[in-house]
Structure formats: C-alpha cells, structure tokens
Amino acid sequence: MRIHLPALDHPRMDPGQARYAVEVNGHLGVTALSAFPAMVAQCRGPRTVLVGLLDQSALYGVVAQLEALGLELLEIRRLTLDGVAEPDDGCLP
C-alpha cells in the first residue's frame, strides 16, 4: 500500500504558532481559567471559548489540561489573524 504524505510546505503542516479557539461546555471559574494563562476566555451562552496563540505542543497541552479538569471539549478551531476560522480546504485529516 502506497502512502501519500502532505508536502512540508502544506499549510496544515505549519509547525509555528497559530491562533486557536477552544470551546468547552460550561462556564469556567477563576480557578479553572488559571490553568490556561496564555488564553483569553469568553462566555458564549452555556459555553466558554478560550482563544490564544499556541504552537502544536501548547495546543496538545491545553487539550490535556481540559481532560485533567474533566471539562467537555466541544470544538477546536484554527483562526486567521483577524479571528475568523480558517476556511476548510476540503482535505480530510
């Protein structure tokens, strides 16, 4: 079976920092928010959205913190510099 790997210059292979929005279920208190010092929190209805500039390692760290705190992860979006979600190019992961 032949494996097709994406080129290293493909935008999804960028190992640098990017802005991410991480959406969790519920409102986070001060103690829970202190686990994410690099992120800004916004309440949106019954959910909390954490936004911050993260590299891949930090993003996985945020996901691990969410799991350790028992928080329900709803969505992770990579944002453009102006805060809009990047368009989907139709590639499947």
Side-chain angles (χ1 to χ4, degrees), residues 17 19 32 45-47 66 79-80 87 90 92:
Q17 292 184 331
R19 286 189 55 183
R47 302 172 175 176
L66 294 172
L79 307 174
T80 62
L92 297 174

Side-chain angles (χ1 to χ4, degrees), residues 4-6 10 12-13 88-93:
H4 174 72
L5 298 174
H10 190 279
R12 290 190 186 256
M13 296 299 292
D88 185 4
D89 64 2
C91 293
L92 297 174

Side-chain angles (χ1 to χ4, degrees), residues 76-87:
I76 297 176
R77 283 173 280 138
R78 185 174 172 160
L79 307 174
T80 62
L81 292 178
D82 57 358
V84 178
E86 287 188 356

Side-chain angles (χ1 to χ4, degrees), residues 2 6 8-9 17 26 54 58 63:
R2 195 166 206 191
L8 292 177
D9 60 346
Q17 292 184 331
L54 305 169
V63 172

Side-chain angles (χ1 to χ4, degrees), residues 25-74:
N25 195 18
H27 293 167
L28 304 186
V30 174
T31 303
L33 289 175
S34 68
F36 309 99
M39 304 191 83
V40 175
Q42 302 169 339
C43 289
R44 292 191 183 161
R47 302 172 175 176
T48 300
V49 179
L50 302 167
V51 177
L53 187 63
L54 305 169
D55 61 19
Q56 288 291 301
S57 177
L59 178 62
Y60 283 109
V62 167
V63 172
Q65 278 286 37
L66 294 172
E67 183 178 15
L69 293 170
L71 299 171
E72 181 182 0
L73 174 62
L74 299 175

